[in-house]
Amino acid sequence: MKVRKIRKTRKRAVALSGALAVIGVVGTATAFGDGTGAQQQRVEAHGSRVTVPVAGGHATLDTASLAVRAQADDGRSWQLSAPAADGLGPAGKASVRGNEATWRYPSTGFTVTAAARDGRLAVSVRSDRETTLNWPVTGGDPATREMQIPRGEGLSVPVADRWWNSPKAGLTGSEAGMSDGLTMPFWGTSLTGRHGSSYIAESDIGSTLKFVSTGGRLRTEARHAFSAREGTGDYRITFALTDGSPVAAARDYRAWLLGHGGITTLRAKIAANPEVGKLVGAFHAYTWGQARTAEGVRRLRDLGIDRMWLGYDADGSPMDAEAVALAEHSGYLVGPYDSWANAQDPDSADTPVSKWPSPVWPDACVRDADGKPVTGFGGRGCYVSSEALKRAEPSRHYLADRTREMTANGADSYFLDVDAAGELFTDRSPAHPMTQAQDRKNRLERMARLSGDRKLVLGSESAGSWANGVVSFSHGSGTPVTDGLWALERDRADWGGYAPAGAPAIYFKPVHLPDDIAKAMYDPRYRVPLYQTVLHDSVISTERWELSWSKLPDQSRTRALLAMLYNVPLNLVLDQSELDEHGEQIAASHRYFEPLHKAAATLPMTDFRRLTPDSLVQRTTFGAGTLTVTANFSTATHDGLPGGCVDAVIKGGKARRMCPSGL
């Protein structure tokens, strides 16, 4: 049957154009406005020194090496970047015009502009050659104490810590893409005293961040690949001086996003689609067996749970219309899992979502420089080109038909795997060529059709900040995954496989994480709410779906405390046995969480503090003191709060306490 094309609405187009402007794919990306205050001082050039005023002081660049130093108003000085790791060649003379200075490196073809914009040092490097630049090199100042990394929710790592400098931590030697390896394209440092630095990679595509250990201290090396073919000939980095808080860089990035119209709030999403409001106060759960039926929904209602997001995997057994109708009548959201990123031979595909009408397989596969299909995740099939699907949609309606089929049971939500997070692709196919920037633009447009035109409450995997305008929830952005986890998950004997069909061990079998993986991911001393500081009032974030609350019993108490502290829902996996064993405990945790989330889900996280020297007692604040949450991850009582407990105060009310037990 021919499906009527999905109509574009003006509201969706306006929202999407704002999102695209932030990532630099609509028009010409702008850096900052003229600003006021410190920015009104002059940029000056003297020999090889270029001095740029910034909020809280000034920054000085050495044109010979691209080394950058900060000078705070209180006289404190520190290194913002060591010299570039590459040979730049001799620098030409810097010329100053207005609030920016420009100079060239003739032998290597780089042109650099340094400007004062919105209280930040904004540096743009341009090259018309196929080349790379390893810069800035950060964290090397001896006074640097910690480094903030938006891996999942966020980490703040002591740079001189022996364990974090060792291979056991899985950080040193690793490299993360700014557009997909990190949830947000920034990082930060904290120095002794109340000083620190923030770095934002405006041009995230083509840029990576590498973690290096030298002399027992961690530092980072940013790297950008200049390519005319990829449209990455401009590399833009901003530097800011901060107060050294572990979330200061996140605050700076949030301010940058707001200045670029790059945050769509939950309040705006709820106004556009009231169904999004059902996420407020809701836990999330993927369902199996009885939990997918009307009887399973009744069990949740009988437990007193009146808000839930219920999802189901693409295993050929979706929730039926009766279960969906009852769930939605109960105030729940229901959504299928889907993926538009993988195609396999329909005769041997291992999942229904990888079966596409001919000729998607293999004509729509992403092709490499040799014309070969790019193998899909886990060695399965191929990655599907978003450009190929986009070009086919007006006549073939693959995506419209898929969406209609997946929601035929009345589902009002949708989980689209990978689109908001996954690896961006260059497609060398002559039939549907595509850059990584075009891939991201295509994904934003098709997600906007789901959440805008189709009015589906949309979520995706580990949603990057660039996707906040089109998704309302994100599964996985709460988890700071270390590479060791992937190796563990591939060990089916210990982790569990996809049997039995009604309750796959991969989701339900309890696993005891090795100490190093547990420490890298869940030690509260190193966890900081970077994602929440930036996007709490825009995207509801949870942990990964295969890491349900009961999957990791040793971390269940810590994860519950983190969820309450960050004001984010738990992500569960449910079947009959899970409800039998943990139903009352889930219901009790939900009763505690729901009023807190209703009070603060649509508000920004405005403060995060460590209250003890060991960093095991932490406090968050939302809005203008609307909600304050204090969590004690230690075993000792602090200021009346027992170890392993959390206190929450809604403004004008009394403290409410939860002391979650282990699973």
Side-chain angles (χ1 to χ4, degrees):
M1 180 182 295
K2 186 175 181 179
V3 179
R4 181 169 54 89
K5 288 200 301 180
I6 299 175
R7 294 183 297 112
K8 294 182 179 179
T9 66
R10 181 179 183 276
K11 182 178 292 185
R12 179 185 69 79
V14 171
L16 180 59
S17 67
L20 295 179
V22 170
I23 61 173
V25 295
V26 168
T28 301
T30 58
F32 302 101
D34 290 337
T36 58
Q39 302 88 292
Q40 294 298 317
Q41 301 173 30
R42 296 177 57 189
V43 173
E44 297 181 350
H46 300 285
S48 65
R49 303 288 190 228
V50 172
T51 301
V52 178
V54 298
H58 61 266
T60 300
L61 298 89
D62 178 3
T63 62
S65 66
L66 281 184
V68 189
R69 288 198 68 82
Q71 179 83 42
D73 287 338
D74 64 4
R76 181 73 178 273
S77 176
W78 68 95
Q79 183 189 76
L80 287 175
S81 174
D86 314 277
L88 296 166
K93 182 180 179 180
S95 61
V96 177
R97 177 176 296 179
N99 70 336
E100 64 182 37
T102 301
W103 64 97
R104 296 191 69 247
Y105 299 93
S107 63
T108 52
F110 294 118
T111 299
V112 178
T113 299
R117 307 246 173 92
D118 285 356
R120 303 180 183 90
L121 163 64
V123 179
S124 175
V125 183
R126 173 171 293 183
S127 177
D128 56 6
R129 305 180 186 180
E130 298 283 324
T131 187
T132 60
L133 176 65
N134 290 305
W135 180 86
V137 179
T138 66
D141 191 284
T144 303
R145 293 185 297 106
E146 295 185 358
M147 176 186 303
Q148 290 82 40
I149 311 159
R151 175 193 274 182
E153 177 58 57
L155 297 171
S156 188
V157 176
V159 298
D161 183 272
R162 181 177 297 180
W163 183 81
W164 279 106
N165 278 274
S166 74
K168 294 180 179 180
L171 185 62
T172 61
S174 67
E175 190 168 15
M178 298 283 195
S179 61
D180 49 20
L182 303 177
T183 50
M184 299 169 285
F186 75 87
W187 68 103
T189 60
S190 298
L191 282 68
T192 54
R194 296 181 58 82
H195 290 285
S197 312
S198 170
Y199 308 86
I200 299 172
E202 292 185 1
S203 47
D204 55 342
I205 291 177
S207 301
T208 59
L209 191 65
K210 185 175 182 179
F211 303 95
V212 179
S213 177
T214 304
R217 291 178 62 86
L218 284 167
R219 58 183 174 85
T220 61
E221 294 181 1
R223 182 175 184 269
H224 184 77
F226 296 85
S227 170
R229 178 183 299 213
E230 282 292 336
T232 58
D234 287 298
Y235 178 37
R236 300 180 303 279
I237 293 282
T238 72
F239 303 72
L241 313 188
T242 73
D243 63 5
S245 160
V247 294
R251 289 175 183 151
D252 181 53
Y253 180 61
R254 177 179 170 87
W256 185 89
L257 277 178
L258 288 170
H260 288 71
I263 294 181
T264 304
T265 66
L266 280 168
R267 287 180 176 175
K269 295 169 185 175
I270 292 169
N273 178 10
E275 292 297 293
V276 175
K278 291 182 178 179
L279 289 171
V280 177
F283 277 3
H284 294 225
Y286 282 89
T287 57
W288 303 81
Q290 184 205 52
R292 286 189 189 175
T293 67
E295 181 183 355
V297 173
R298 292 188 190 97
R299 288 198 65 182
L300 291 172
R301 291 175 53 185
D302 290 344
L303 286 167
I305 298 175
D306 62 355
R307 290 288 178 105
M308 284 288 285
W309 180 89
L310 297 178
Y312 47 90
D313 202 7
D315 57 3
S317 300
M319 291 183 74
D320 61 29
E322 179 189 4
V324 170
L326 179 60
E328 293 175 354
H329 179 73
S330 302
Y332 300 174
L333 288 164
V334 176
Y337 166 95
D338 196 6
S339 174
W340 297 348
N342 185 262
Q344 300 178 39
D345 185 336
D347 293 335
S348 57
D350 57 14
T351 172
V353 300
S354 293
K355 295 181 179 180
W356 294 85
S358 179
V360 173
W361 168 266
D363 289 4
C365 293
V366 172
R367 302 277 170 169
D368 63 18
D370 296 325
K372 297 179 180 178
V374 176
T375 303
F377 178 77
R380 302 156 51 248
C382 74
Y383 282 106
V384 179
S385 170
S386 65
E387 182 68 14
L389 292 181
K390 177 183 177 180
R391 294 186 182 201
E393 191 64 14
S395 59
R396 302 301 297 267
H397 316 305
Y398 294 130
L399 304 184
D401 288 351
R402 171 72 75 93
T403 306
R404 183 184 294 270
E405 177 185 355
M406 297 291 277
T407 59
N409 59 357
D412 52 4
S413 184
Y414 214 85
F415 181 83
L416 187 60
D417 197 15
V418 177
D419 256 37
E423 182 181 0
L424 300 174
F425 291 98
T426 298
D427 189 353
R428 299 293 176 82
S429 168
H432 37 78
M434 176 180 71
T435 65
Q436 292 182 38
Q438 185 63 44
D439 188 14
R440 181 156 67 181
K441 182 175 182 288
N442 293 341
R443 297 184 194 200
L444 282 168
E445 288 175 343
R446 67 194 194 184
M447 285 189 287
R449 285 194 289 271
L450 290 175
S451 59
D453 298 349
R454 290 299 305 268
K455 299 291 186 182
L456 292 166
V457 180
L458 181 65
S460 189
E461 176 192 2
S462 301
S465 54
W466 51 267
N468 82 82
V470 293
V471 300
S472 295
F473 65 95
S474 171
H475 290 168
S477 50
T479 309
V481 172
T482 183
D483 285 347
L485 179 68
W486 307 132
L488 183 63
E489 290 188 3
R490 288 193 293 270
D491 183 352
R492 298 298 188 218
D494 290 334
W495 188 264
Y498 286 94
I506 191 172
Y507 299 110
F508 288 95
K509 179 183 178 181
V511 169
H512 300 282
L513 291 179
D515 290 345
D516 290 324
I517 295 177
K519 185 174 181 178
M521 292 175 59
Y522 291 114
D523 192 322
R525 293 175 296 172
Y526 312 118
R527 292 287 298 264
V528 289
L530 303 181
Y531 198 87
Q532 300 310 312
T533 296
V534 177
L535 294 175
H536 183 268
D537 57 343
S538 175
V539 178
I540 293 174
S541 170
T542 75
E543 289 215 62
R544 296 183 59 83
W545 55 91
E546 82 275 21
L547 300 178
S548 68
W549 189 27
S550 59
K551 179 71 176 178
L552 308 175
D554 297 342
Q555 286 74 42
S556 60
R557 180 183 287 107
T558 293
R559 296 170 78 194
L561 292 176
L562 284 167
M564 301 307 134
L565 181 67
Y566 295 170
N567 196 231
V568 297
L570 291 172
N571 203 358
L572 314 168
V573 175
L574 300 178
D575 71 344
Q576 180 174 345
S577 62
E578 184 74 6
L579 288 173
D580 289 343
E581 187 173 356
H582 300 304
E584 293 294 340
Q585 194 172 3
I586 291 169
S589 297
H590 184 265
R591 284 193 297 272
Y592 184 83
F593 171 76
E594 184 175 2
L596 308 184
H597 204 228
K598 286 182 175 179
T602 61
L603 300 176
M605 178 185 282
T606 50
D607 195 23
F608 168 77
R609 299 186 183 186
R610 296 158 166 167
L611 303 183
T612 55
D614 62 7
S615 300
L616 291 177
V617 183
Q618 302 172 10
R619 176 171 293 160
T620 53
T621 304
F622 301 86
T626 300
L627 175 67
T628 302
V629 185
T630 307
N632 186 348
F633 296 96
S634 74
T635 57
T637 298
H638 173 79
D639 198 20
L641 179 62
C645 297
V646 59
D647 273 354
V649 179
I650 297 175
K651 195 172 186 177
K654 296 182 179 179
R656 299 178 64 245
R657 178 167 296 173
M658 183 178 80
C659 301
S661 59
L663 293 176

